Amino acid sequence: IPPQETDPTDFKRRFLKKIRKLGEGNFGMVELCLYDPKGDQTGELVAVKSLKTENECSNLRREISTIRNLYHENIVKYKGICNDEGANIKLIMEYLPSGSLKEYLPRNKSNIDQKRLLHYALQICQGMEYLGSQNYIHRDLAARNILVENESLVKIGDFGLTKSIKDDKEYYKVTEEQDSPVYWYAPECLINRKFYKASDVWSFGVTLYEIMTYCDRDNSPPRVFLKMIGRSQGQMTMARLVEALEKGWRMPCPDSCPEMVYTQMHSCWSHAPENRVDFKGLIKQFEFLLTSENI
Ligand SMILES: CCS(=O)(=O)N1CC(CC#N)(n2cc(-c3nc(Nc4ccc(C(=O)OC(C)(C)C)cc4)nc4[nH]ccc34)cn2)C1
């Protein structure tokens, strides 16, 4: 009998064994599973994203159609889907053993120097530059969504809010009110809910700030913003945040962050989207910093 054509991207639910939860959001969660079709524990570890509520199915289907067409070393690899037995669809991805930057940086601070932090920043820009070249806007770029393969390789790990801007629109209008990560949002996103590629550059600047603080919880963007605008004032918080940004307030230079890197961060936070550096420019700057000895 010819070897029956088995589709390697078609995962059967009965062979997917849950091990533990890896991450969780409002609508989705990611679990570590062993995919063990032989039933002898010789299977492979995979990361499985599924929905917590039925009605987000369309979002996960959009995320799947996005990630399955992305091929870049700084973007988490799509492995397939699990869609049998009727229940809601699951996205199967490669498992990255070291978790997100939010877990990895604080735990390994003592053996990560600034050069390595800039390598992570460069890799995120390379992944984002590729994403933009495929006409996608990420809309949720933050350290919590960057995964660590090993101490010299990081990948963008989640595309839950990613939108395509194919039909030559250059921005995406936010419709759903799902609680957006406002502290990573550019003014245009907060004020008229328009998302440009340049809005991802703003979020990258906030992510770079997180990286240079080794994702220290006490200096997290929400913590720093709330300290600046006064304790959280419920729904007023967003209005206070917009007001501060409009007045030109920006997050301060993290301790021991080189002036040149803070200048880069700041160039991501120009009020007008068109005045911000782009990912190509950021890549050139990081490559220069990493070759020159002044870091
Ligand atoms: C948006 C809501 S979400 O719920 O959908 N969701 C959150 C999200 C954010 C992003 N990115 N996420 C992705 C993964 C994830 N984790 C992993 N490995 C690990 C490995 C280790 C650990 C860990 O804790 O280790 C210590 C040592 C105990 C701290 C955690 C994760 N491999 C992956 N491959 C593909 C995805 C993926 C986890 N959270 C996407």
Side-chain angles (χ1 to χ4, degrees):
I1 326 159
Q4 85 262 30
E5 288 301 299
T6 50
D7 171 2
T9 69
D10 177 21
F11 288 72
K12 298 298 176 201
R13 191 178 303 266
R14 61 187 183 281
F15 299 138
L16 211 46
K17 305 295 176 211
K18 284 183 191 175
I19 296 174
R20 65 182 168 91
K21 193 184 290 185
L22 294 172
E24 187 158 20
N26 294 3
F27 307 101
M29 71 171 166
V30 178
E31 291 167 305
L32 173 62
C33 293
L34 177 72
Y35 189 63
D36 196 27
K38 291 193 195 125
D40 59 1
Q41 303 288 320
T42 64
E44 66 170 335
L45 290 176
V46 291
V48 181
K49 179 162 184 174
S50 53
L51 292 169
K52 292 194 313 194
T53 58
E54 284 302 311
N55 62 7
E56 288 300 311
C57 215
S58 62
N59 285 351
L60 186 55
R61 288 186 184 280
R62 182 193 313 111
E63 182 174 355
I64 290 168
S65 64
T66 300
I67 194 172
R68 72 190 304 172
N69 297 315
L70 297 175
Y71 305 95
H72 190 276
E73 65 168 344
N74 301 118
I75 287 182
V76 70
K77 282 192 179 75
Y78 166 84
K79 291 182 82 72
I81 59 169
C82 176
N83 198 13
D84 57 357
E85 294 173 15
N88 55 16
I89 194 167
K90 294 172 185 289
L91 166 58
I92 317 290
M93 297 170 279
E94 63 174 332
Y95 167 64
L96 273 72
S98 305
S100 79
L101 284 176
K102 284 212 76 164
E103 290 118 13
Y104 185 78
L105 289 183
R107 279 187 170 80
N108 297 277
K109 179 169 182 172
S110 50
N111 47 32
I112 298 173
D113 63 10
Q114 282 191 341
K115 224 171 170 62
R116 190 163 296 286
L117 295 181
L118 296 181
H119 264 291
Y120 299 154
L122 170 60
Q123 290 174 33
I124 296 165
C125 289
Q126 288 166 334
M128 286 304 297
E129 216 278 322
Y130 168 76
L131 192 69
S133 76
Q134 305 301 304
N135 286 319
Y136 285 109
I137 297 177
H138 190 277
R139 297 181 51 238
D140 196 11
L141 187 54
R144 66 178 172 274
N145 289 333
I146 304 299
L147 298 172
V148 181
E149 171 72 45
N150 57 49
E151 80 282 345
S152 50
L153 179 59
V154 297
K155 305 189 179 195
I156 300 167
D158 192 68
F159 296 88
L161 296 182
T162 300
K163 300 286 180 191
S164 171
I165 48 167
K166 278 219 165 48
D167 42 22
D168 67 28
K169 254 188 324 190
E170 96 260 16
Y171 67 81
Y172 170 78
K173 183 96 175 163
V174 179
T175 46
E176 72 279 348
E177 270 309 310
Q178 71 190 40
D179 69 341
S180 46
V182 291
Y183 301 105
W184 282 259
Y185 272 11
E188 70 273 7
C189 310
L190 297 169
I191 297 165
N192 43 30
R193 301 196 303 181
K194 285 185 176 171
F195 241 94
Y196 301 85
K197 285 183 186 176
S199 312
D200 276 338
V201 170
W202 178 290
S203 301
F204 171 78
V206 182
T207 305
L208 180 57
Y209 173 92
E210 294 183 274
I211 289 171
M212 298 314 287
T213 61
Y214 289 90
C215 290
D216 169 33
R217 232 177 289 273
D218 295 341
N219 283 294
S220 74
R223 189 73 67 87
V224 168
F225 267 115
L226 288 177
K227 222 182 304 178
M228 191 277 299
I229 61 178
R231 296 315 307 153
S232 72
Q233 302 160 17
Q235 81 289 352
M236 283 302 290
T237 305
M238 179 109 114
R240 288 272 167 281
L241 174 61
V242 170
E243 193 183 330
L245 292 174
E246 295 288 277
K247 282 182 191 152
W249 185 86
R250 295 294 184 267
M251 289 208 284
C253 184
D255 296 348
S256 77
C257 172
E259 210 42 51
M260 292 175 81
V261 178
Y262 187 60
T263 306
Q264 267 188 291
M265 228 179 268
H266 230 271
S267 70
C268 296
W269 296 332
S270 302
H271 186 274
E274 59 275 7
N275 293 346
R276 289 173 208 153
V277 65
D278 62 7
F279 284 112
K280 264 197 177 57
L282 286 164
I283 289 167
K284 285 194 182 65
Q285 290 168 5
F286 284 123
E287 283 172 343
F288 168 71
L289 284 174
L290 284 163
T291 45
S292 60
E293 281 317 303
N294 56 12
I295 289 286

